[in-house]
Amino acid sequence: LERAHEHLARARANGRTRAHAAIITTYPAWYERPDSLSPDPRPPLMCARAAGAGAFGADGMLRLRARTLASCPAEPVPALFWAAGFAFSSAEVIRAAPYAAQVLPGLFFGEEACMGARLWTSGFDFYCPTHSVVYHL
């Protein structure tokens, strides 16, 4: 993991993605204290919690989840959703679609759908990484 940023930069810049518009994004893999990382390198892919109406909570907000891929892909996999847990991109993202905290203060559920829509309509594409590179408690 020491050079994860280099791997991600190469993956983002490969010939199959528009490097300037690619965002590598997913939920982080699990981590347990003091230093136990998930031994599974397969990355999680962002998806809706369920199909149809089941994808939404009682408050009407889209609920996302991640599903672990069957194997580590050779190249980043196109994804439908942006994840707040991990998003690797160029700084162009901040200029094109600044974070909406001032517009939607205190937003938690809906943050990913809101930012994902703003980023996608600004021309960005989302990709799942080739392996897990970040971890979360």
Side-chain angles (χ1 to χ4, degrees), residues 5-71:
H5 67 285
E6 293 171 2
H7 171 78
L8 292 170
R10 277 193 306 278
R12 198 175 62 79
N14 76 33
R16 297 181 60 133
T17 64
R18 296 176 304 138
H20 69 282
I23 300 174
I24 296 178
T25 186
T26 192
Y27 285 156
W30 62 265
Y31 169 85
E32 290 182 12
R33 290 182 185 173
D35 60 356
S36 177
L37 300 179
S38 168
D40 188 351
R42 297 174 302 155
L45 175 68
M46 297 298 299
C47 56
R49 179 178 71 180
F56 297 88
D59 56 7
M61 292 289 191
L62 178 67
R63 295 294 197 268
L64 300 177
R65 66 181 304 164
R67 297 282 186 171
T68 302
L69 295 179
S71 62

